[in-house]
């Protein structure tokens, strides 16, 4: 579709949508989202503060955990403006360019999380399979290089997306199906040739989630082989126990992704509310669960939090 000046038509604003069929319960939905944001922001800020303050936590494992917490804050703050505007203030419009910026940051932080989880699996692999060289392999400079590499990879692979979307005309309306902007959602209202967007989107997903998940599985296969070779049952359990938090974080991240993909691929007739709810789970649950998982399952984190609590009480 062409505008009056002969250029491709793009709406000035896009209309966001809440949760289909729950218009009467907007106040309760807003309360749930506020609670999720509060837990996520407070929990991840607490992890970051704790790692910075406690010298006992200045170790590779906790540096990677800090990256995960910082990234989860990025995910939360990327969606927060439009979600709160939609559910708390019933303001459902977002500027087209602002939508593209939000889309870029949501997807970038999501892909970064996959890379950080891979780095954390490498940390567990070195700690269990080659503990004598743990300190020499995972030096501070290498950890910094890994973090910058994850950031550069995610930024570079996602950078073309806003430009690929901006070149398209939008002639199928301006109503999106979520309370935030996602690339697949924008493709549903775009017209013209979207094959490049779909092919590049599939490439990015495969290049990121596919490769990262494969190497995570490979690292745990090697970890399991090493652990099973340990003669003592107590030592085997102790080694595996150090991986429980990371395994839970991986499951919290990848299970919703797999569920969303399966529903989108094989159950297209599923009511729209199911698609929206699964997308919300994918974006909101991992940032909320990760600080809880590590606080409950990691003794050093619990000890540090109790230490800070008792200091504040005294």
């Amino acid at each position: 579709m062409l505008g009056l000046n002969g250029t491709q038509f793009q709406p000035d604003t896009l209309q966001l949508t809440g949760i289909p069929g729950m218009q009467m319960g907007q106040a309760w939905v807003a309360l749930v989202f506020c609670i999720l944001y509060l837990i996520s922001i407070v929990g991840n800020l607490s992890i970051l503060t704790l790692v910075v303050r406690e010298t006992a936590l200045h170790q590779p494992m906790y540096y990677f955990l800090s990256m995960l917490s910082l990234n989860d804050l990025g995910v939360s703050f990327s969606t927060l403006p439009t979600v709160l505007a939609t559910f708390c203030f019933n303001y459902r419009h977002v500027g087209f360019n602002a939508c593209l910026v939000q889309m870029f940051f949501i997807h970038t932080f999501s892909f970064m999380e996959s890379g950080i989880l891979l780095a954390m699996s490498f940390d567990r692999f070195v700690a269990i399979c080659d503990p004598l060289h743990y300190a020499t392999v995972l030096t501070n400079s290498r950890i910094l290089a890994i973090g910058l590499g994850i950031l550069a990879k995610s930024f570079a692979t996602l950078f073309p997306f806003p430009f690929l979307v901006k070149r398209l005309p939008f002639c199928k309306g301006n109503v999106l199906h979520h309370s935030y902007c996602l690339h697949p959602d924008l493709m549903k209202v775009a017209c013209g040739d979207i094959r490049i967007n779909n092919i590049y989107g599939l490439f990015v997903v495969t290049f990121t989630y596919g490769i990262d998940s494969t190497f995570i599985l490979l690292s745990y296969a090697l970890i399991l082989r090493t652990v099973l070779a340990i003669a003592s049952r107590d030592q085997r359990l102790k080694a595996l126990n150090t991986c429980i938090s990371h395994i839970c974080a991986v499951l919290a991240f990848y299970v919703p992704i797999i569920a969303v993909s399966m529903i989108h691929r094989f159950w297209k007739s599923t009511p729209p509310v199911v698609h929206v709810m699964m997308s919300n789970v994918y974006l909101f649950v991992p940032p909320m669960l990760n600080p809880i998982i590590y606080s409950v399952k990691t003794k050093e984190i619990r000890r540090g939090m109790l230490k800070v609590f008792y200091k504040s009480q005294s």
Side-chain angles (χ1 to χ4, degrees):
M1 177 179 281
L2 299 178
L4 296 177
N5 59 358
T7 59
Q8 290 184 334
F9 173 75
Q10 291 171 345
D12 292 330
T13 62
L14 295 165
Q15 184 175 332
L16 302 172
T17 307
I19 298 178
M22 299 189 69
Q23 285 76 10
M24 298 301 294
Q26 287 286 96
W28 289 107
V29 174
L31 178 62
V32 169
F33 277 119
C34 287
I35 292 172
L36 291 177
Y37 277 123
L38 184 64
I39 294 174
S40 175
I41 293 171
V42 172
N44 286 296
L45 281 176
S46 299
I47 295 287
L48 282 171
T49 304
L50 195 62
V51 173
V52 170
R53 289 182 56 177
E54 296 295 320
T55 55
L57 300 181
H58 292 178
Q59 302 175 36
M61 173 182 175
Y62 302 107
Y63 291 147
F64 287 123
L65 178 58
S66 297
M67 292 182 196
L68 185 65
S69 294
L70 192 61
N71 188 80
D72 285 338
L73 286 172
V75 174
S76 296
F77 284 120
S78 295
T79 59
L80 186 144
T82 54
V83 171
L84 292 188
T86 300
F87 290 104
C88 295
F89 303 104
N90 201 32
Y91 184 79
R92 298 174 181 270
H93 295 280
V94 60
F96 183 77
N97 290 326
C99 185
L100 295 184
V101 172
Q102 185 185 49
M103 176 199 73
F104 171 76
F105 279 109
I106 289 176
H107 288 301
T108 298
F109 284 120
S110 296
F111 285 111
M112 280 180 63
E113 182 137 351
S114 178
I116 294 169
L117 290 172
L118 173 59
M120 295 175 83
S121 71
F122 177 68
D123 168 79
R124 292 298 84 208
F125 165 75
V126 177
I128 293 173
C129 299
D130 195 11
L132 296 179
H133 295 94
Y134 182 70
T136 56
V137 171
L138 288 171
T139 60
N140 289 344
S141 58
R142 282 180 181 164
I143 293 169
L144 179 61
I146 290 171
L148 292 176
I150 293 169
L151 175 62
K153 174 191 169 187
S154 301
F155 183 88
T157 53
L158 271 298
F159 187 72
F161 268 118
F163 301 100
L164 289 174
V165 174
K166 198 170 178 63
R167 70 184 177 87
L168 296 171
F170 286 75
C171 57
K172 298 179 183 178
N174 68 336
V175 180
L176 303 181
H177 296 85
H178 298 84
S179 53
Y180 40 80
C181 299
L182 297 176
H183 181 260
D185 210 12
L186 285 164
M187 290 303 95
K188 291 178 182 178
V189 295
C191 51
D193 189 359
I194 63 171
R195 285 179 298 177
I196 296 176
N197 294 68
N198 289 333
I199 291 171
Y200 187 70
L202 180 61
F203 163 76
V204 171
V205 169
T206 304
F207 180 65
T208 304
Y209 292 152
I211 292 177
D212 290 351
S213 59
T214 299
F215 278 104
I216 290 172
L217 288 173
L218 178 61
S219 67
Y220 272 102
L222 296 174
I223 288 171
L224 190 60
R225 186 184 69 174
T226 301
V227 169
L228 291 177
I230 300 174
S232 170
R233 180 175 178 273
D234 291 338
Q235 289 297 319
R236 289 200 299 267
L237 292 175
K238 184 178 179 181
L240 288 174
N241 192 52
T242 64
C243 301
I244 294 297
S245 298
H246 179 255
I247 292 173
C248 292
V250 169
L251 291 175
F253 180 73
Y254 276 103
V255 168
I257 291 176
I258 295 171
V260 168
S261 300
M262 294 289 286
I263 290 172
H264 180 73
R265 182 72 59 184
F266 300 108
W267 292 288
K268 293 184 178 180
S269 59
T270 304
V273 65
V274 176
H275 292 268
V276 173
M277 291 301 292
M278 287 308 302
S279 296
N280 287 338
V281 168
Y282 155 62
L283 282 175
F284 293 105
V285 170
M288 178 200 69
L289 277 185
N290 287 336
I292 296 174
I293 290 169
Y294 277 91
S295 299
V296 171
K297 297 299 296 181
T298 308
K299 181 173 63 176
E300 290 77 9
I301 295 291
R302 289 201 310 272
R303 185 183 297 143
M305 287 188 171
L306 289 173
K307 183 179 177 182
V308 171
F309 176 76
Y310 286 125
K311 277 185 178 179
S312 63
Q313 290 295 313
S314 61

